[in-house]
Amino acid sequence: MSAYQSVLKGDNESTVASLVLVLVTLLAAMGWIFSKETIAGLPPLLFIGLRFLLSSALIAPFCRNSLKRMNGRHLALSIRIGLAQSVALMVWIMAISNSSSLGEGAFIASTAMILVPLLGRILYSERIPRPTLLALPVTIAGLALLSLRASWQFEISQALYLIAAFGIALQFVFTSRDGRSIPSNALTFVQFSTVAVCCLLASAAMEEWDLTNVPMNIWLWFLASAVIATAVRYFLLVWCQKRLDSGPAAVIMTLEPLWTALMSAFWLSESLTSLQTVGCGLIMAALFIARRR
């Protein structure tokens, strides 16, 4: 294959990965709704633990060959990614359980994508692409407008979302940097298993379990969360992260709060102000800036 053909192949793969990552953000937004509905009948940490336990079981049959190709270093890196994700998810689900607005929470959590290239620079001395640098202030301005209300009161959920954002960013950087050499199936399985163990242990220590009186509709929401918003989404996410630089991928991930706000408006009757609508437009503009060649 000539050098020119290699470049074209790389460009096509990057474009496909970018489009799949947009789908990932849509599935992630659906996960916010699924999670909010599920924790109405299940303890939050137990829900996360069971969700990832079921998801790891679903993908286990597809991971045998890839798990055999893993070495000790791959396993350690995968567990580290899973630990970062565990902390982020435990804080995130506690934020959702204390939050009065999923849309606002999604925008706060999406600041993780602003932290990604900065953490990549600090931890691995990665060069921040110039288009990403140009897109970052536009993204920040859009998020600022989206956070405005007629009156603003600090809530514990807002602090929890910010803490979760750091964990999400750290997991994203670890996956983009260290996950490239690890088979996607194996990485996803170990990652899910780590989250399941951590969350179930935390739940056993902090929550009371009573699954006998859980309504059937709660279990249906739980299944949607485990299968659609977890197993399918994270497999696609890992596939994308191994094919995209962390900076541009991080900006694409800012679509998640946009989808979440729209779904929250439809399902939970939340609404966006005119300033927040302008903020959405700024974030969309940032996406085009970041993807400019």
Side-chain angles (χ1 to χ4, degrees):
M1 182 182 295
S2 67
Y4 178 71
Q5 290 175 320
S6 298
V7 170
L8 286 180
K9 181 180 179 181
D11 287 345
N12 290 335
E13 186 177 64
S14 177
T15 300
V16 172
S18 297
L19 293 175
V20 173
L21 194 58
V22 172
L23 173 61
V24 167
T25 62
L26 181 58
L27 297 179
M30 294 170 64
W32 284 75
I33 305 297
F34 297 159
S35 298
K36 187 69 172 179
E37 294 290 349
T38 305
I39 61 175
L42 284 177
L45 296 179
L46 177 61
F47 157 61
I48 294 294
L50 293 177
R51 168 181 171 179
F52 279 82
L53 182 63
L54 176 58
S55 298
S56 61
L58 289 174
I59 67 172
F62 307 98
C63 300
R64 293 180 180 178
N65 294 332
S66 57
L67 284 171
K68 293 178 181 178
R69 298 200 303 270
M70 291 186 72
N71 54 37
R73 181 176 178 274
H74 289 163
L75 181 61
L77 291 175
S78 300
I79 292 176
R80 183 173 71 164
I81 294 171
L83 289 174
Q85 185 180 15
S86 298
V87 174
L89 284 173
M90 285 190 284
V91 177
W92 173 77
I93 196 62
M94 296 307 296
I96 286 183
S97 64
N98 290 280
S99 177
S100 59
S101 173
L102 282 189
E104 181 185 59
F107 291 122
I108 296 174
S110 70
T111 58
M113 297 303 104
I114 299 175
L115 297 172
V116 165
L118 303 179
L119 287 179
R121 176 67 178 177
I122 293 171
L123 296 176
Y124 298 108
S125 300
E126 292 182 349
R127 183 182 66 85
I128 303 177
R130 188 167 181 269
T132 301
L133 287 174
L134 296 175
L136 284 175
V138 181
T139 304
I140 294 172
L143 291 173
L145 290 176
L146 287 166
S147 301
L148 291 179
R149 296 285 192 277
S151 61
W152 188 86
Q153 293 180 347
F154 182 79
E155 299 178 358
I156 185 63
S157 61
Q158 294 169 328
L160 292 174
Y161 281 127
L162 284 174
I163 296 172
F166 279 92
I168 295 170
L170 190 61
Q171 178 232 333
F172 202 96
V173 171
F174 284 163
T175 304
S176 296
R177 174 74 180 191
D178 300 326
R180 294 178 183 272
S181 62
I182 307 173
S184 297
N185 289 359
L187 172 58
T188 305
F189 176 78
V190 175
Q191 188 176 334
F192 282 11
S193 300
T194 302
V195 173
V197 171
C198 290
C199 291
L200 287 175
L201 289 176
S203 176
M206 301 170 59
E207 298 174 335
E208 295 183 2
W209 296 3
D210 181 12
L211 305 181
T212 58
N213 298 317
V214 178
M216 180 56 66
N217 68 307
I218 297 297
W219 289 117
L220 292 176
W221 286 114
F222 168 77
L223 287 175
S225 177
V227 177
I228 299 174
T230 306
V232 174
R233 176 170 72 96
Y234 275 101
F235 180 82
L236 294 176
L237 177 60
V238 171
W239 184 87
C240 292
Q241 287 177 312
K242 294 173 66 174
R243 289 163 175 79
L244 289 173
D245 293 333
S246 60
V251 180
I252 293 175
M253 291 295 288
T254 58
L255 274 174
E256 179 181 338
L258 299 180
W259 301 135
T260 305
L262 292 174
M263 292 182 185
S264 298
F266 173 76
W267 193 257
L268 302 174
S269 300
E270 295 180 5
S271 60
L272 293 176
T273 65
S274 57
L275 285 177
Q276 290 174 318
T277 303
V278 175
C280 292
L282 287 177
I283 292 177
M284 292 298 296
L287 291 175
F288 286 103
I289 294 173
R291 290 302 298 161
R292 184 174 61 86
R293 293 289 178 181

